[in-house]
Structures are given as C-alpha cells and as structure tokens.
Amino acid sequence: MVVDNYKYIREQVETTARNCGRNPRDITLIAVSKTKPLSDIEKLIQIGVDDFGENKVQELCDKYENVSKPVSFHLIGHLQTNKVKYVVDKACLIHSVDTVKLAKEIQKEAFKKQVTTQILIEVNVAEEESKFGLHVDEVIPFIEEISSYPNVHINGLMTIAPFVENPEENRNYFRTLKQLSLDIISKNIDNVDMNVLSMGMTNDYKVAIEEGATMVRVGTAIFGARNYI
Ligand SMILES: *Cc1c(COP(=O)(O)O)cnc(C)c1O
C-alpha cells in the first residue's frame, strides 16, 4: 500500500510539474512519516526513497538511529530550544525556524558539534493565530539578523497553509511565499540561499507546485490517516 501510494503521488508530482512547465527533478517529495512505524519507512527505503518528514525530535532521532540505511530526515514540526541539541546533527533540514532565540540555540549547538545546520524560515503567511511562523513583514529583518551565524545556513522558506476543502483557496498564500523569496534574493544577503520553498501537503501539493514549491510534504496520501497529530 505505502509503496503504491508513494509511486502514485510521485507520478502526480511529476505530471503537475510538467504541466506547468517545470522540471520534475526540481521538486523533492518528502514522505511525512510522523506517527507511522519504522516498517513503513523501510518499505519506501527499499524502493530508493530518501526524504522523510518528522514533526517530533524524539521520534526523528529514534527513526534516524534505527533505519537500515542512512536516509534524510526533515524536521518539519515546531522545535523547542531545549531539544535543539538532539537534532542539529541529525535533521538534514529544519523547516521550522521562526525566532531569534531558536536560531541562536541552533548556532550554539551546531558549533559545539562542529556542523552547519541547514534551516528554512517558517512563515505564517495566512496569519493563523494557532500557527507558528513569522508574519511576512517580519521575515527580511529576521533573516538579516541571523544570516551571519556561521553554523546556520538559511536555504529558503516554509509555510503551512490553512486546512481548506478547496486547495485553490491556498493559491495566494503560496504565491505570496514565492514572491517573498524573490524579494529576499534581490537583497543579496551573504550566506543566505533561497533555493527551497517548502509548501504543499496532501490536500494542496499540486497548487503549491504550480506556484513554485521545491519541496512538498505529503503524509496522509502516502501513509494513510493518522490516529493523532
Ligand atoms: C503532518 C504534516 C504534513 C503532512 O500533512 P498531510 O496532510 O498528512 O499530508 C506536512 N507538513 C507539516 C508541517 C506537518 O506537520
């Protein structure tokens, strides 16, 4: 099931990319395996899948240590400063950086371990109260403040769009995130890349690809419904 689902979604991603004139290779499909067992991950590793998404530090570390072959684990969920030390050298990319305090802690722990931690800035484009992330107008000052941290490398932006019935309702949020990334590029800030736009989930990944996503994070459509968040 999981393998068939993955192949189907990968095909959908590729078709959507081609239909809007994009190269399918420019889009990474992250299989969001949160709450799902290692055995599901192993099935995908067998067919060569390399990118998995987790939203809890403990779960990411457990899976990281127990997979049969090294693969990339993305931390896509909110990160508390007291957990940073466990994950700076394990997550291939932390998608959820949204405070100076958190960025400072990542710098401190990455320095201790002598690694450079790859991050995205989480943007709450839709300004939903319940969600983490910076508001659009806070992003450039934030990046200017943390871009000089030597052991932290900014690769781009991430957003979690609202849960909506019709994915078209999220198109403008994705477009806004893309435009923000272009505005940042035009500022030419040292040590900052904008190669990654992490946006789109089971419900809205096609619209996100049409609007420029380079990473889509798909859980339910690959692994089935979750019992808890
Ligand atoms: C759970 C989660 C996803 C995947 O959501 P689905 O709707 O199951 O595809 C993507 N991104 C984040 C940040 C998540 O927490």
Side-chain angles (χ1 to χ4, degrees), residues 1-16 18 24 29-31 40 42-52 205-206 216 218-224:
M1 256 321 249
V2 172
V3 167
D4 289 344
N5 291 345
Y6 180 89
K7 286 182 177 164
Y8 174 76
I9 299 295
R10 183 68 225 171
E11 260 172 44
Q12 295 292 306
V13 164
E14 292 180 6
T15 307
T16 307
R18 271 190 222 99
L29 171 57
I30 301 173
D40 281 353
E42 289 294 340
K43 285 177 196 153
L44 294 180
I45 292 178
Q46 296 302 314
I47 61 160
V49 176
D50 183 47
D51 290 278
F52 296 90
Y205 70 91
K206 290 183 186 175
V216 291
V218 178
T220 307
I222 295 172
F223 296 99

Side-chain angles (χ1 to χ4, degrees), residues 34-65:
K34 64 185 185 193
T35 83
K36 297 295 179 181
L38 199 61
S39 56
D40 281 353
I41 293 178
E42 289 294 340
K43 285 177 196 153
L44 294 180
I45 292 178
Q46 296 302 314
I47 61 160
V49 176
D50 183 47
D51 290 278
F52 296 90
E54 292 289 338
N55 68 338
K56 297 219 160 69
V57 168
Q58 177 74 51
E59 195 176 341
L60 186 151
C61 293
D62 283 349
K63 287 171 172 168
Y64 178 94
E65 265 143 31

Side-chain angles (χ1 to χ4, degrees), residues 3-204:
V3 167
D4 289 344
N5 291 345
Y6 180 89
K7 286 182 177 164
Y8 174 76
I9 299 295
R10 183 68 225 171
E11 260 172 44
Q12 295 292 306
V13 164
E14 292 180 6
T15 307
T16 307
R18 271 190 222 99
N19 287 346
C20 64
R22 298 187 58 198
N23 187 340
R25 289 187 191 190
D26 293 341
I27 298 149
T28 302
L29 171 57
I30 301 173
V32 176
S33 45
K34 64 185 185 193
T35 83
K36 297 295 179 181
L38 199 61
S39 56
D40 281 353
I41 293 178
E42 289 294 340
K43 285 177 196 153
L44 294 180
I45 292 178
Q46 296 302 314
I47 61 160
V49 176
D50 183 47
D51 290 278
F52 296 90
E54 292 289 338
N55 68 338
K56 297 219 160 69
V57 168
Q58 177 74 51
E59 195 176 341
L60 186 151
C61 293
D62 283 349
K63 287 171 172 168
Y64 178 94
E65 265 143 31
N66 289 296
V67 279
S68 59
K69 147 177 188 265
V71 288
S72 306
F73 283 101
H74 298 249
L75 184 67
I76 60 176
H78 178 63
L79 176 57
Q80 292 170 298
T81 48
N82 63 340
K83 304 239 169 103
V84 166
K85 57 177 175 287
Y86 304 114
V87 84
V88 279
D89 58 343
K90 296 193 178 69
C92 63
L93 183 63
I94 298 174
H95 290 228
S96 49
V97 178
D98 63 351
T99 63
V100 172
K101 184 171 170 237
L102 177 59
K104 271 199 179 128
E105 185 68 14
I106 295 172
Q107 167 55 35
K108 188 177 115 201
E109 294 299 330
F111 175 77
K112 275 194 206 162
K113 295 202 161 75
Q114 286 299 298
V115 295
T116 301
T117 300
Q118 308 298 325
I119 68 161
L120 302 178
I121 311 301
E122 181 171 353
V123 189
N124 184 359
V125 183
E127 302 195 358
E128 289 182 286
E129 296 233 340
S130 59
K131 293 223 172 108
F132 293 102
L134 294 161
H135 287 187
V136 169
D137 60 356
E138 298 170 324
V139 174
I140 290 175
F142 177 71
I143 289 180
E144 283 170 338
E145 179 157 4
I146 71 164
S147 63
S148 61
Y149 294 9
N151 297 71
V152 177
H153 185 238
I154 301 171
N155 290 271
L157 307 175
M158 178 272 226
T159 196
I160 305 174
F163 183 80
V164 290
E165 286 286 307
N166 178 0
E168 284 299 328
E169 290 175 43
N170 285 335
R171 187 179 291 279
N172 265 319
Y173 297 132
F174 297 142
R175 200 168 280 180
T176 300
L177 197 71
K178 171 75 186 186
Q179 185 56 51
L180 177 60
S181 77
L182 297 175
D183 294 347
I184 294 164
I185 290 168
S186 74
K187 300 224 159 239
N188 268 318
I189 308 168
D190 274 355
N191 193 33
V192 174
D193 287 311
M194 280 289 132
N195 302 323
V196 179
L197 273 189
S198 170
M199 57 189 195
M201 310 177 17
T202 290
N203 241 19
D204 53 18

